[in-house]
Amino acid sequence: MARLAQTAGLTDIQEEILATVRTFVDKEIIPHAQTLEHGDTYPADIVEGMKEMGLFGLTIPEEYGGLGESLLTYALVVEQIARGWMSVSGVINTHFIVAHMLKQHGTPEQKEKYLPRMAAGEVRGSFSMSEPELGSDVAAIRTRAVKGDSGYTINGQKMWLTNGGTSNLTAVLVKTDEGADKPHQNLTTFLVEKPEGYGEVLPGLTIPGKIDKMGYKGVDTTEMVFDGFEIAADQILGGVSGQGFRHMMDGVEVGRVNVAARACGIAIRSFELAIDYAQQRKTFGKAIAEHQAIAFKLAEMATKVEAAHLMMVNAARLKDSGQRNDVEAGMAKLIASEYCAEVTQEAFRIHGGYGYSKEYEIERLMREAPFLLIGEGTSEIQKTIISRGLLREYQSRG
Ligand SMILES: Cc1cc2nc3c(=O)[nH]c(=O)nc-3n(C[C@H](O)[C@H](O)[C@H](O)COP(=O)(O)OP(=O)(O)OC[C@H]3O[C@@H](n4cnc5c(N)ncnc54)[C@H](O)[C@@H]3O)c2cc1C
């Protein structure tokens, strides 16, 4: 992209990483995305390529074998990858969130145990808050861990685990009996090690199978059923129970920047396809781009791409500077996902009937965009977070 979605003030290393990823996306992802997605095929070769580039350890500190890069670098990489195929960014996203939670909240032993193998892509992370009866209302979690003499026993059902079958380390948020008044203070994150695959993968732990989705194919999304699953107390993230909600919300905050970045990537690709098609397709004796109605669509799409990119970059930089970014990440996620849905829709319209054909990439992008309105918190939840933050900040003195 020559002009849109540029980022000022990047270091030489960031520029170099992005150039490498962009080339990888153009050569190894875009040409295969349609076929893999239509076949619901896991992109094993692409994942191997990402491992070789060190992308699984992009944000993991150098002392644990990672590249020690910032959230901004990660978000810009994700934007590029989603421009190629969103499912590939889904493979690394949950991994990145779990690595972030371990880096920020893990005990020294947990960091030592997992981060080096996560950086190498040997341990791959997924995370689980949602259950069949709740998603937005995280504090209402029912899956329960009960403390016994030699550890905890977990019972309950989790839902919507991205990479649930292909990961081997899942950060799971469950209810524990802390006796606290507020429900969210009775939640604990467990680090569940498990083999990859489906069925009863460990005694008392079943991954039933892939959920058949509208889009976002190739990457697996699963349930996770606990039935008397035994786990040691030292698998509690950070070693202390009752802190899980805080840990997960920190993970989700960086996850929201990541979802915003994905939305930017899909919107960029939709714009690229639309502006190309609009110059080739002729109606009434001229290219459709020469009809003002279409030219204006392109102008509006590009403006939305630019605005979303800048807000996403701002939210990432804020977090990198050590400040809380709940409001800014919420705003970036809200605007980027809503604009992404609008931009893909306009690109689809510009393609006329061909946009409805599975031969054209825009058909896939149209099915990918809606997920971003839901994942890591719906638009309504982002508005709740943003307004709460603003009301805290702008308290009335009257
Ligand atoms: C493909 C896919 C992958 C996913 N991957 C993961 C994952 O890896 N890990 C994980 O934990 N979860 C994952 N999720 C779950 C996702 O985070 C939830 O679906 C999402 O948070 C919404 O929750 P819900 O589906 O239960 O909707 P609900 O919470 O039931 O919401 C339904 C509707 O009501 C609205 N609503 C709810 N509460 C309010 C309110 N207070 N005010 C106004 N409106 C409200 C919502 O905005 C929405 O429109 C995934 C979901 C999908 C579809």
Side-chain angles (χ1 to χ4, degrees), residues 84-392:
W85 182 20
M86 183 178 83
S87 296
V88 178
S89 65
V91 173
I92 52 169
N93 178 39
T94 61
H95 177 86
F96 156 76
I97 292 177
V98 177
H100 174 82
M101 286 166 57
L102 270 162
K103 185 176 73 174
Q104 295 299 116
H105 309 290
T107 62
E109 295 75 26
Q110 288 169 344
K111 290 182 197 183
E112 204 54 62
K113 184 174 175 190
Y114 293 118
L115 288 177
R117 287 188 294 145
M118 289 187 89
E122 287 163 24
V123 170
R124 302 246 302 278
S126 56
F127 84 100
S128 172
M129 295 193 293
S130 305
E131 297 188 356
E133 297 191 26
L134 64 99
S136 307
D137 189 5
V138 177
I141 275 176
R142 293 178 178 187
T143 299
R144 182 182 284 271
V146 177
K147 197 171 181 187
D149 294 338
S150 61
Y152 286 78
T153 305
I154 307 182
N155 282 293
Q157 189 175 349
K158 306 301 277 185
M159 182 76 188
W160 296 119
L161 282 85
T162 302
N163 299 306
T166 47
S167 59
N168 44 16
L169 179 68
T170 307
V172 188
L173 190 63
V174 302
K175 205 165 160 42
T176 41
D177 297 308
E178 311 297 331
D181 291 341
K182 298 193 173 151
H184 70 271
Q185 292 169 343
N186 293 308
L187 297 175
T188 298
T189 303
F190 279 88
L191 299 166
V192 175
E193 269 191 74
K194 66 174 190 65
E196 292 174 35
Y198 302 93
E200 187 165 347
V201 290
L202 285 175
L205 178 62
T206 301
I207 310 289
K210 286 164 67 167
I211 298 169
D212 195 11
K213 298 170 300 213
M214 157 184 175
Y216 199 26
K217 290 176 184 281
V219 60
D220 52 294
T221 306
T222 72
E223 295 171 53
M224 186 179 233
V225 183
F226 295 96
D227 183 9
F229 178 70
E230 307 275 345
I231 187 161
D234 61 9
Q235 290 302 103
I236 290 176
L237 179 65
V240 182
S241 63
Q243 303 295 313
F245 186 79
R246 191 171 59 84
H247 296 160
M248 281 282 176
M249 288 307 119
D250 183 34
V252 164
E253 239 168 63
V254 293
R256 281 184 185 140
V257 174
N258 171 281
V259 171
R262 284 200 228 180
C264 291
I266 293 176
I268 292 169
R269 185 67 185 155
S270 298
F271 174 79
E272 287 174 354
L273 295 171
I275 199 162
D276 186 52
Y277 188 84
Q279 292 170 83
Q280 292 179 30
R281 180 71 172 175
K282 290 194 170 55
T283 67
F284 303 93
K286 55 184 177 184
I288 58 172
E290 291 175 39
H291 299 300
Q292 195 181 51
I294 300 293
F296 278 16
K297 275 189 198 299
L298 293 170
E300 284 176 16
M301 289 160 74
T303 307
K304 287 175 180 171
V305 165
E306 198 63 0
H309 175 82
L310 291 173
M311 287 187 72
M312 179 273 285
V313 167
N314 180 52
R317 284 196 159 133
L318 204 63
K319 187 83 175 176
D320 283 334
S321 71
Q323 297 179 61
R324 184 128 198 242
N325 77 340
D326 54 341
V327 170
E328 290 73 13
M331 286 176 170
K333 198 266 168 181
L334 174 67
I335 206 92
S337 60
E338 293 287 345
Y339 278 176
C340 174
E342 290 169 22
V343 169
T344 44
Q345 165 97 225
E346 291 297 56
F348 167 75
R349 287 175 200 258
I350 287 173
H351 279 75
Y354 290 103
Y356 214 64
S357 159
K358 283 189 157 186
E359 274 185 39
Y360 283 73
E361 237 177 293
I362 192 63
E363 170 269 338
R364 171 171 57 78
L365 300 173
M366 275 287 285
R367 289 183 288 105
E368 288 175 348
F371 167 60
L372 300 169
L373 300 168
I374 306 292
E376 309 284 357
T378 63
S379 292
E380 289 73 25
I381 295 304
Q382 304 312 319
K383 287 178 198 172
T384 307
I385 293 166
I386 296 164
S387 55
R388 267 192 207 143
L390 293 174
L391 286 165
R392 253 196 330 263

